[in-house]
Amino acid sequence: MTKEFFKVTDLNKVLEYRRIFSKVTAEDVDISETTGRILAKDIISDTDLPDFMRTTMDGYAISASSSYGATEANPGWLTIKGAIAMGDIPSFRIGPGESARIATGGMLPQGADSVMMIEHTEPVDEHSVEIYKSIAPGQHVIDIGEDFRKGEILLCCGQRIRAQETGLLAAFGKQNVLVYRKPKIAIISTGDEVVPIDHTPGLGKIRDINTYTLAGLVKEAGGIPHSYGIIPDVYDALYQSCRQAVEASDMVLISGGSSVGVRDLTIDVLASLPDAKILVHGISISPGKPTILAKVGNCAFWGLPGHVVSAMVVFSVVVKPFIEHICGLAVSREVKIPAILTRNIASVHGRTDYVRVRLLEKDGKLCAEPILGKSGLINTMVKADGLIEIDMNTEGLYQGAEVWVIPV
Amino acid sequence: MTKEFFKVTDLNKVLEYRRIFSKVTAEDVDISETTGRILAKDIISDTDLPDFMRTTMDGYAISASSSYGATEANPGWLTIKGAIAMGDIPSFRIGPGESARIATGGMLPQGADSVMMIEHTEPVDEHSVEIYKSIAPGQHVIDIGEDFRKGEILLCCGQRIRAQETGLLAAFGKQNVLVYRKPKIAIISTGDEVVPIDHTPGLGKIRDINTYTLAGLVKEAGGIPHSYGIIPDVYDALYQSCRQAVEASDMVLISGGSSVGVRDLTIDVLASLPDAKILVHGISISPGKPTILAKVGNCAFWGLPGHVVSAMVVFSVVVKPFIEHICGLAVSREVKIPAILTRNIASVHGRTDYVRVRLLEKDGKLCAEPILGKSGLINTMVKADGLIEIDMNTEGLYQGAEVWVIPV
C-alpha cells in the first residue's frame, strides 16, 4: 500500500522537452574571447589556404624530376638560382637542374613542385649543391588550397570553438566572431534549515552548499550563474524571487525542496507565475527523482532535489543538455569514457540509475570502481570521476562489464 | 650523409626539467571564483558533517526496533509524538512505540535512529500511524560525521577544484580560499611571413594563427595569455620583446621559428638574456622536434615550431605539463581515453610519434580513427578529437590495437 506522490516522466521524454525552448541570442566577440564559446553562424572560406605553394621544411625548392635517380652513392647536382626570403614572392623561376634555397614556410618559385630537405644535400659552392635523394612532386610542400578551399564551410554554426578553431578563425582573418550569448542562469536556494556559508549553522541547520555547487556547474557548462541567495519556505518570498529570476534569466534552478511540503510550495509558486506550465513532476532516475521542470515564458524552470549529490546528478544528466540546447550547441564532442566495472552493482528495474565511480588504470585497462556510501553523502561526489548509467530495463551490472563513464 | 642540426632530448628527460621551475604564488579568492582553480593548501574539517543525525526522506523518525515485525499484512502501530520543523532542534524525545513526523533534511529527535518512509505508512488519526515495514537502525538517515569527520583532510593542496569541491568548501564555510595564482604566459609570434589577422596577407605571407591558438590553449590550461604580437626576425627587436616578456611573465612561448635561420636567431637571443640557460634544443617527438626550452631566471622559455599543428602537439605533450607544474597541480584527474584503432599506422623507430585521431562509436566500441593529411594542415587538428602516442620503441600500430587518446 504505497503512495504515488508524483507521476514520474521517462528521462528521454524529459530531454525531448528541450525543443520547446528557444536558443539565446548571438553576440559579436573579439577572436581572443572565442575559445570555449559556441559559433552562431557558419564560417565560409573566402580564400584558398594556403593561397601559395608553401614549404614545410628548410631546403631547396626544385622540380621533383630534377632529383630522379639521385642517391647517396650517386648524388645529383643542381645549380642554386637564388634564395627565397621569408614572406617574399620569388622573383625568378626554377627550370630543370635548378634549385632555390628556401626556409620553412617560404613560397615556392614557379617551376618548383617540391622541396629537398637540407639534410639530404651538401653544398658544393655558392652556386651549386649535391642532392642525395629522389623526391616526388608535392614532397615537403603544402599545395594551394590543400588545407582549405575557397568556398568551403570551415566551421559550422552550433560548433564549440576550441583553441584550434580559434586558430582557424585567425587564419581567415575573423577578428570579430558571432557566437551565442552565455545564458544567464538564476540559482535560488530554499529550505528553512539552510544558512549562508559565512554563518555557523546551529544544530539542525546546514550551510548553503547547493548555490555554490550549482554555480560551479553552470560555469563549467558555459552559463553565467546569478545567485538569488536563500529564500525562506514562504509563498510570498518565493514567488517574488522566482518572478524576478524568470524576468532576468534564461533559466532558473531552484533547489532545496526535496520534502513534500517544500515541493508542493514550489509547485504552487510555479503554477501561479505568469505564462507558466508544469511539464515534469518527477523523473524516472535515481538519484534525482523529485525533480520539477516547468516552462515559464521561454524560461526553463527547474526544481532540483535538495541533496547536493542528487542535484548534481540531475544537473549532469538533464539540466546540462538543456543549457547546451539554449546555448546553441549542435555538435557535441564530449565523449563518454569506456571502462571496465570492478564489481557487481545492483539496480532497480524501471528507473535509470546513476552510480558514482572512480577511474583508475589496472593492468593496462581503464577501470570504473563504484564508490560506496549513501547517495546523500557529498564525499561520494568528491571522490568520483564520473557516473555510469544503468538502464531502466537492466537489474544490475556484473564485475567486468564494459561501461560508459560520464565525467563529472 | 645526413646532418645533425641539433641533438634531440628524450621526451621524459624534457618533462623532468619541470622540477627546476618553482610554482607561482598563491592568492585568496572568493569561493564563487574557485571552480577550475588549484588549491594552495590542505583544507581540514573543523566539524563533523553533518553534526546532527539527518533524515534523507520524508516520513517518521523512529527507533528501528519499534518497526520489527511490521509488514503489509501485519502492520505496526505507533503514536505520533509531534512534528519536527525544518532546521529546528526537536524539543522532545522518542521512546519505543513512538514516532515523529519529519521532512527530508530534518534533524532526528533523541531516541530515534532511523526514518520510516512516508510511502510505507498510513495515518490512522492525528496521533497515530500504521507502518508496513521493518527497518534497520541508520536507515534513511545520515549519521553524525558520516560524510566527513572533524579533523579529516577534506581537500588537498594541489587539487583542482571542481563544482563538487566548491560545494564542499561551502559546506565548511570557506568564504575565502587560498588558490595558486593563474600564471601569466607571454606569447610572441615571429616570422617575416606572418601578418596580423586584420591584414590581408599578400602572396607568400600568412596570418598570425599561432598567437590565437596558443592563447586559447593557455586559457584552457588555466593560464592568462598575454600577446606580444608579431616581432620581426631581427635580433634587437626580438631581444627587447623577449626581455620584456620574461620580466612580466611566468612563462614565455615564442613561435614561428622553424627555419634554421630563425631558430638560430632565437637561440642567440635566448643565450644573451640575463640568467639564461638553454636546456633543450630539439625533442625526440614528431611533430614538434624543433622545440627549444630555456630557463631564464625562473621563467620557462619555449621556442615552439612555427607550424600550428606541431606547436599544438608540443603544447599538449610538453608545455601543458609545465604549466600544470607551475600552477601547483599535484593530482591530475585528467584521463587518457581508451579506444580501438581503426587502421594500421606506421611510425619511425627512435622517436615518439603523435597521430591525430577522431573518436567515434562503432558497434558499441569507442574507436580512434587516424586523420589523414600532412602534419602541416590545420584542418587535421580541427577534425581531431585527440592524439595517440606511438612509443619510440614501436614501429607502428595495427588496426584493432587498444590505444589511449589524449584529448585536444
Side-chain angles (χ1 to χ4, degrees):
Chain A
M1 203 161 147
T2 57
K3 285 189 194 168
E4 268 290 318
F5 282 91
F6 35 78
K7 197 169 153 34
V8 297
T9 306
D10 183 77
L11 177 59
N12 289 323
K13 179 84 195 293
V14 178
L15 291 172
E16 270 173 33
Y17 281 122
R18 275 178 291 186
R19 316 177 272 194
I20 67 172
F21 295 95
S22 42
K23 292 177 179 47
V24 296
T25 52
E27 62 183 358
D28 256 324
V29 297
D30 186 76
I31 183 171
S32 60
E33 299 300 322
T34 54
T35 307
R37 302 297 296 270
I38 295 164
L39 259 180
K41 65 168 189 184
D42 291 346
I43 306 287
I44 314 287
S45 164
D46 57 4
T47 176
D48 286 328
L49 188 75
D51 61 355
F52 59 95
M53 207 186 251
R54 214 174 168 219
T55 172
T56 61
M57 289 288 170
D58 288 351
Y60 294 86
I62 63 168
S63 162
S65 58
S66 302
S67 74
Y68 294 163
T71 62
E72 294 233 356
N74 184 28
W77 185 95
L78 302 175
T79 57
I80 302 172
K81 209 156 171 199
I84 298 159
M86 287 303 286
D88 273 6
I89 305 170
S91 57
F92 51 90
R93 71 171 275 139
I94 290 293
E98 292 177 343
S99 72
R101 279 194 206 94
I102 194 165
T104 306
M107 176 176 176
L108 267 70
Q110 283 207 308
D113 59 10
S114 53
V115 169
M116 177 70 68
M117 279 171 74
I118 198 164
E119 285 87 336
H120 302 128
T121 65
E122 190 70 50
V124 178
D125 55 36
E126 227 176 289
H127 303 292
S128 56
V129 62
E130 274 191 339
I131 59 170
Y132 302 100
K133 220 182 161 176
S134 288
I135 58 173
Q139 198 143 357
H140 304 313
V141 300
I142 294 179
D143 205 352
I144 293 169
E146 190 173 344
D147 213 345
F148 290 98
R149 295 222 157 268
K150 185 174 175 173
E152 214 177 311
I153 293 181
L154 297 169
L155 298 170
C156 296
C157 181
Q159 194 173 349
R160 196 185 293 279
I161 302 167
R162 299 170 296 171
Q164 51 266 61
E165 277 82 38
T166 297
L168 187 55
L169 291 166
F172 286 89
K174 308 293 177 191
Q175 183 80 57
N176 293 297
V177 182
L178 194 70
V179 297
Y180 285 104
R181 190 164 57 68
K182 289 185 174 198
K184 279 181 271 183
I185 301 187
I187 298 171
I188 300 174
S189 264
T190 65
D192 289 340
E193 81 281 23
V194 181
V195 303
I197 66 161
D198 56 352
H199 287 42
T200 303
L203 216 54
K205 300 196 191 295
I206 194 149
R207 287 196 182 92
D208 180 17
I209 303 174
N210 290 13
T211 290
Y212 297 90
T213 309
L214 290 171
L217 291 172
V218 163
K219 272 195 202 170
E220 287 174 349
I224 301 170
H226 182 202
S227 165
Y228 283 73
I230 305 162
I231 310 300
D233 296 337
V234 172
Y235 181 89
D236 285 346
L238 199 56
Y239 180 87
Q240 280 311 322
S241 293
C242 288
R243 185 144 188 191
Q244 276 175 31
V246 163
E247 274 162 22
S249 323
D250 300 297
M251 190 183 278
V252 180
L253 309 178
I254 180 165
S255 86
S258 275
S259 74
V260 175
V262 179
R263 216 160 50 223
D264 289 350
L265 179 64
T266 308
I267 288 283
D268 285 351
V269 166
L270 273 173
S272 58
L273 285 171
D275 195 16
K277 193 181 169 203
I278 291 164
L279 304 171
V280 173
H281 189 183
I283 307 181
S284 61
I285 59 174
S286 173
K289 182 177 167 192
T291 296
I292 298 163
L293 169 61
K295 183 175 192 292
V296 186
N298 185 45
C299 189
F301 195 115
W302 297 91
L304 300 178
H307 268 310
V308 67
V309 176
S310 309
M312 284 196 79
V313 169
V314 173
F315 189 95
S316 170
V317 174
V318 199
V319 179
K320 193 174 162 211
F322 273 75
I323 295 179
E324 290 173 345
H325 168 77
I326 67 168
C327 279
L329 187 70
V331 219
S332 176
R333 284 183 176 268
E334 250 177 75
V335 291
K336 293 181 185 171
I337 301 167
I340 307 294
L341 193 60
T342 60
R343 52 184 293 156
N344 298 345
I345 35 180
S347 158
V348 173
H349 190 89
R351 70 177 191 206
T352 309
D353 273 357
Y354 291 92
V355 177
R356 282 138 287 169
V357 296
R358 188 189 282 122
L359 289 171
L360 44 112
E361 217 187 302
K362 227 179 197 168
D363 305 328
K365 298 274 180 195
L366 192 66
C367 294
E369 182 181 76
I371 291 167
L372 305 176
K374 292 176 186 159
S375 76
L377 304 176
I378 310 166
N379 79 59
T380 58
M381 212 63 194
V382 171
K383 286 176 189 157
D385 293 305
L387 302 172
I388 60 175
E389 182 183 291
I390 308 179
D391 193 72
M392 58 193 300
N393 300 314
T394 306
E395 289 193 353
L397 290 172
Y398 289 105
Q399 178 179 351
E402 293 183 354
V403 293
W404 295 92
V405 179
I406 306 163
V408 289
Chain B
M1 202 165 152
T2 57
K3 284 188 194 170
E4 269 290 318
F5 282 93
F6 35 78
K7 196 167 155 35
V8 296
T9 307
D10 183 77
L11 176 59
N12 289 323
K13 180 85 194 290
V14 178
L15 290 173
E16 271 172 32
Y17 282 121
R18 273 178 293 185
R19 315 177 274 195
I20 65 173
F21 296 94
S22 42
K23 292 177 180 44
V24 295
T25 52
E27 63 183 358
D28 254 325
V29 297
D30 185 78
I31 183 172
S32 60
E33 300 300 322
T34 53
T35 308
R37 302 296 295 272
I38 295 162
L39 260 180
K41 66 167 187 185
D42 290 345
I43 306 287
I44 314 288
S45 166
D46 56 5
T47 175
D48 286 328
L49 189 75
D51 60 357
F52 59 95
M53 207 187 254
R54 217 178 165 214
T55 173
T56 63
M57 289 290 169
D58 288 352
Y60 293 86
I62 63 170
S63 161
S65 58
S66 302
S67 73
Y68 294 163
T71 62
E72 296 232 353
N74 184 27
W77 183 95
L78 302 176
T79 57
I80 303 172
K81 209 161 171 194
I84 297 158
M86 287 301 289
D88 274 7
I89 305 171
S91 57
F92 53 89
R93 71 171 275 137
I94 290 292
E98 292 177 340
S99 71
R101 279 195 205 95
I102 195 165
T104 306
M107 176 175 175
L108 267 69
Q110 283 206 306
D113 60 10
S114 53
V115 169
M116 177 71 67
M117 279 171 74
I118 197 164
E119 286 88 335
H120 302 128
T121 66
E122 189 72 49
V124 177
D125 54 36
E126 226 175 289
H127 304 293
S128 57
V129 63
E130 276 191 340
I131 59 170
Y132 303 100
K133 221 183 159 176
S134 289
I135 58 174
Q139 199 143 356
H140 304 313
V141 300
I142 295 179
D143 206 351
I144 294 169
E146 189 172 345
D147 213 345
F148 291 96
R149 295 222 156 269
K150 185 173 174 174
E152 214 177 309
I153 294 182
L154 298 169
L155 298 169
C156 297
C157 180
Q159 193 173 349
R160 196 185 293 280
I161 302 167
R162 298 169 299 168
Q164 51 265 60
E165 278 81 39
T166 297
L168 187 56
L169 292 166
F172 284 89
K174 307 294 177 191
Q175 183 79 57
N176 293 296
V177 183
L178 194 71
V179 298
Y180 286 104
R181 192 164 54 69
K182 289 184 172 198
K184 280 181 271 182
I185 300 186
I187 298 171
I188 300 174
S189 263
T190 64
D192 289 340
E193 81 281 23
V194 180
V195 303
I197 66 160
D198 56 352
H199 287 43
T200 303
L203 216 54
K205 298 195 193 298
I206 195 149
R207 288 196 182 92
D208 179 17
I209 303 174
N210 290 13
T211 289
Y212 296 90
T213 308
L214 290 170
L217 291 171
V218 164
K219 272 195 202 172
E220 287 174 348
I224 300 170
H226 182 202
S227 166
Y228 283 74
I230 305 161
I231 310 300
D233 296 336
V234 172
Y235 181 89
D236 285 345
L238 199 56
Y239 181 88
Q240 279 312 322
S241 294
C242 288
R243 187 146 186 190
Q244 276 175 32
V246 163
E247 275 162 21
S249 323
D250 300 297
M251 188 184 279
V252 180
L253 310 178
I254 180 166
S255 86
S258 275
S259 73
V260 175
V262 179
R263 216 159 50 223
D264 289 350
L265 178 64
T266 307
I267 289 282
D268 285 351
V269 167
L270 273 173
S272 58
L273 286 171
D275 194 17
K277 192 180 169 204
I278 291 165
L279 304 171
V280 173
H281 189 184
I283 306 181
S284 61
I285 60 174
S286 172
K289 182 178 167 191
T291 296
I292 298 163
L293 169 62
K295 184 175 193 291
V296 186
N298 186 43
C299 189
F301 196 114
W302 296 91
L304 301 178
H307 270 306
V308 67
V309 175
S310 310
M312 283 196 80
V313 169
V314 173
F315 189 95
S316 169
V317 175
V318 199
V319 179
K320 194 174 160 210
F322 274 73
I323 294 179
E324 290 172 344
H325 168 79
I326 67 167
C327 280
L329 187 71
V331 218
S332 176
R333 283 183 178 268
E334 251 177 74
V335 291
K336 293 183 185 172
I337 301 167
I340 307 295
L341 194 61
T342 61
R343 51 182 295 155
N344 297 347
I345 36 180
S347 159
V348 173
H349 191 89
R351 70 177 191 206
T352 309
D353 274 356
Y354 292 92
V355 177
R356 281 140 287 167
V357 296
R358 188 190 282 125
L359 288 171
L360 44 112
E361 215 187 303
K362 227 180 198 167
D363 305 328
K365 298 274 181 196
L366 191 66
C367 294
E369 182 183 76
I371 291 166
L372 305 176
K374 291 174 187 162
S375 78
L377 304 175
I378 308 164
N379 78 60
T380 58
M381 212 62 194
V382 171
K383 286 176 189 157
D385 294 304
L387 301 172
I388 59 176
E389 183 182 292
I390 308 178
D391 193 72
M392 58 194 297
N393 299 315
T394 307
E395 288 192 354
L397 292 171
Y398 288 104
Q399 179 179 350
E402 293 183 354
V403 293
W404 294 92
V405 179
I406 307 161
V408 289

